Amino acid sequence: MAEISRGERRKGLANGFAAYGMWGLVPLFWPLLKPAGALEILAHRMVWSLVFVAVALAFVRRWAWAGELLRQPRRLALVTVAAAVITVNWGVYIWAVNSGHVVEASLGYFINPLVTIAMGVLLLKERLRPAQWTAVGVGFAAVVVLTVGYGQPPWISLVLAFSFATYGLVKKKVNLGGVESLAAETAIQFLPALGYLLWLAGHGESSFVNDGAGHAALLASTGIVTALPLVCFGAAAIRVPLSTLGLLQYLAPVFQFLLGILYFHEAMPAERWAGFALVWVALALLTWDALRTARRSARALAAAAAARPVTVAAETPTSQV
């Protein structure tokens, strides 16, 4: 059993690396879709993602959740909010990558954990540990430094971070699986996206129609590019601890950051390095605090498990009498 458990953990790690690796390397994909604009790419992503996940769900015959969701208006409303927020996130990200802002986009996903914590305090009245407060303060200082460096707030980073943090908060309340959630969200996005694509085609402005079969195939593959990392993430989430997933999540922005500098040759003046350095210090504090808390919890659970048999043994004679 222990051997199977180790094998499952290895499988989970492989899927985690695959998911975050694909998310980290996706900036290489969006430029391939030019001359399509960001809105056209976004619309195709919505349409083909629904097609892909619908085929996957039909294959495994997993549809019971859809009927339950339709009978729960509050959850359906939350899914609609999630669909709207992730639409903003996807659209800004695609535009940022294809407009030469890969580094700033990567910053959004670096600061996302800090924004999530801040939203937990403001919206859910969560209490932070001292290290978490320090990390949030350092993250705020980083945004100030980057604002000075850019000459304006790093709005791309902030929109990506806040939209994705909001998306995570809403998804937590909806409590749907990854593939099911994507199916529900893209079902809501589908008609507006399809209507926009038909409008483009009617006005002769559709690159899907005008730029050949190869380009059309690339646009259609946006569904796979969207759904496949999510499937791998789902496989990882049930096999590895959350603390491990928390560390793996930094792979995606690290890859994006390196691509922005080394492949797309985006500028990194000193003040931008300073801002990123502060963000990394904040994330290091968060990671250290999370690992320390996880170790304490594990020790407490182990101590409770070790004490339990003694308690049972002491009570057994009394129960038998």
Side-chain angles (χ1 to χ4, degrees):
M1 190 69 184
E3 188 61 38
I4 294 174
S5 179
R6 285 196 293 271
E8 287 295 297
R9 282 198 294 270
R10 284 197 293 269
K11 188 183 294 185
L13 280 173
N15 276 284
F17 276 110
Y20 286 108
M22 284 186 277
W23 279 325
L25 296 175
V26 79
L28 296 173
F29 177 70
W30 302 125
L32 299 177
L33 304 182
K34 293 178 179 179
L39 277 178
E40 184 179 1
I41 296 171
L42 175 64
H44 277 287
R45 187 178 190 181
M46 295 170 178
V47 168
W48 294 109
S49 293
L50 179 61
V51 172
F52 183 86
V53 294
V55 170
L57 289 170
F59 182 76
V60 297
R61 298 180 181 179
R62 209 160 69 203
W63 292 107
W65 61 271
E68 294 174 7
L69 181 63
L70 289 173
R71 290 192 294 271
Q72 297 175 315
R74 183 176 179 276
R75 288 182 78 201
L76 194 57
L78 287 172
V79 170
T80 304
V81 172
V85 172
I86 201 62
T87 296
V88 172
N89 184 274
W90 285 357
V92 171
Y93 185 76
I94 292 167
W95 177 86
V97 170
N98 283 0
S99 301
H101 300 284
V102 176
V103 169
E104 192 175 348
S106 75
L107 176 64
Y109 294 105
F110 274 125
I111 66 175
N112 177 65
L114 301 171
V115 172
T116 300
I117 288 174
M119 290 178 68
V121 173
L122 296 174
L123 301 179
L124 305 179
K125 308 303 180 185
E126 294 179 355
R127 298 183 65 180
L128 299 188
R129 295 182 292 273
Q132 291 175 311
W133 275 117
T134 304
V136 171
V138 173
F140 180 77
V143 172
V144 172
V145 170
L146 289 165
T147 298
V148 173
Y150 280 106
Q152 62 181 10
W155 69 268
I156 293 172
S157 308
L158 294 173
V159 169
L160 291 175
F162 275 92
S163 60
F164 201 71
T166 304
Y167 178 66
L169 179 66
V170 174
K171 277 175 72 75
K172 195 171 184 179
K173 292 182 178 295
V174 173
N175 194 26
L176 267 180
V179 175
E180 292 87 349
S181 180
L182 181 63
E185 291 152 16
T186 50
I188 291 169
Q189 297 168 332
F190 181 80
L191 286 179
L194 182 62
Y196 176 69
L197 293 177
L198 292 175
W199 181 86
L200 284 179
H203 286 74
E205 298 175 13
S206 169
S207 67
F208 183 84
V209 174
N210 299 334
D211 288 88
H215 180 71
L218 279 173
L219 286 170
S221 69
T222 53
I224 299 174
V225 169
T226 299
L228 189 57
L230 191 63
V231 172
C232 291
F233 174 79
I238 61 174
R239 290 178 172 89
V240 298
L242 283 176
S243 57
T244 303
L245 278 180
L247 293 175
L248 288 176
Q249 73 173 326
Y250 297 130
L251 282 177
V254 165
F255 285 167
Q256 293 165 10
F257 177 76
L258 292 175
L259 283 174
I261 294 175
L262 302 177
Y263 183 81
F264 293 103
H265 305 293
E266 294 184 16
M268 279 295 289
E271 59 272 17
R272 202 169 296 178
W273 277 111
F276 270 84
L278 286 172
V279 169
W280 295 330
V281 168
L283 294 179
L285 276 171
L286 279 185
T287 303
W288 169 77
D289 181 68
L291 291 175
R292 183 184 60 168
T293 304
R295 281 196 296 268
R296 285 179 176 174
S297 300
R299 283 197 296 268
L301 288 173
R308 196 173 297 123
V310 176
T311 305
V312 172
E315 293 177 349
T316 300
T318 304
S319 63
Q320 287 176 341
V321 171

